[in-house]
Amino acid sequence: METTKEITTPIGEHKVVIKTMLTGAEREKVDNAAMEFVETSDGQSFKVKDMEKVSLAQKHKLLETSIVTIDSDATNRLERVRKMYEQDYDYVYNEIVAAQKKMKAPTSEPSS
């Protein structure tokens, strides 16, 4: 099964290779990116310190984890995508989200 896809951004025409599926460990990293912006006193209930930073941290971690290369170069992927035109940046992000939604396997109930 192919787990990457090459896309071309609409404005700058950057060739971006993205992952269409993440591993469990990669998904945990994305989900846990927000933890530095929450606080807890009992380890069970959490208070968000800055919701904007939570959202941005998760978005950045998803981009960083999902982008394999930009124009055949794997270095500084997050910073390079952030420097793209807004429409290109949004295109890459939306393609990642759409590809991963499409590739998610449906979960089934365990049989008894």
Side-chain angles (χ1 to χ4, degrees):
M1 175 186 308
E2 183 66 33
T3 59
T4 62
K5 171 183 172 181
E6 183 177 276
I7 59 174
T8 303
T9 62
I11 305 293
E13 297 184 354
H14 297 282
K15 300 233 180 283
V16 182
V17 176
I18 61 172
K19 293 179 182 180
T20 56
M21 294 178 74
L22 296 181
T23 65
E26 289 169 329
R27 175 52 61 191
E28 286 174 354
K29 285 181 183 179
V30 172
D31 292 344
N32 288 331
M35 292 310 293
E36 73 178 271
F37 303 107
V38 298
E39 54 190 31
T40 182
S41 57
D42 61 6
Q44 294 187 13
S45 58
F46 296 89
K47 178 182 174 192
V48 175
K49 294 187 275 187
D50 188 331
M51 192 61 197
E52 184 176 332
K53 287 182 181 176
V54 166
S55 177
L56 201 53
Q58 287 181 320
K59 185 174 187 176
H60 285 176
K61 187 56 78 173
L62 179 62
L63 287 165
E64 182 178 59
T65 304
S66 300
I67 297 172
V68 178
T69 60
I70 299 172
D71 298 326
S72 301
D73 183 355
T75 60
N76 302 317
R77 298 176 314 274
L78 178 59
E79 287 310 309
R80 290 175 48 225
V81 76
R82 290 181 67 218
K83 289 179 180 178
M84 288 181 184
Y85 293 113
E86 178 182 21
Q87 187 175 351
D88 286 350
Y89 173 90
D90 289 343
Y91 179 78
V92 171
Y93 177 76
N94 291 333
E95 284 290 314
I96 289 168
V97 171
Q100 290 178 4
K101 278 183 183 177
K102 182 178 178 182
M103 294 299 283
K104 271 191 176 174
T107 55
S108 60
E109 293 292 318
S111 56
S112 11

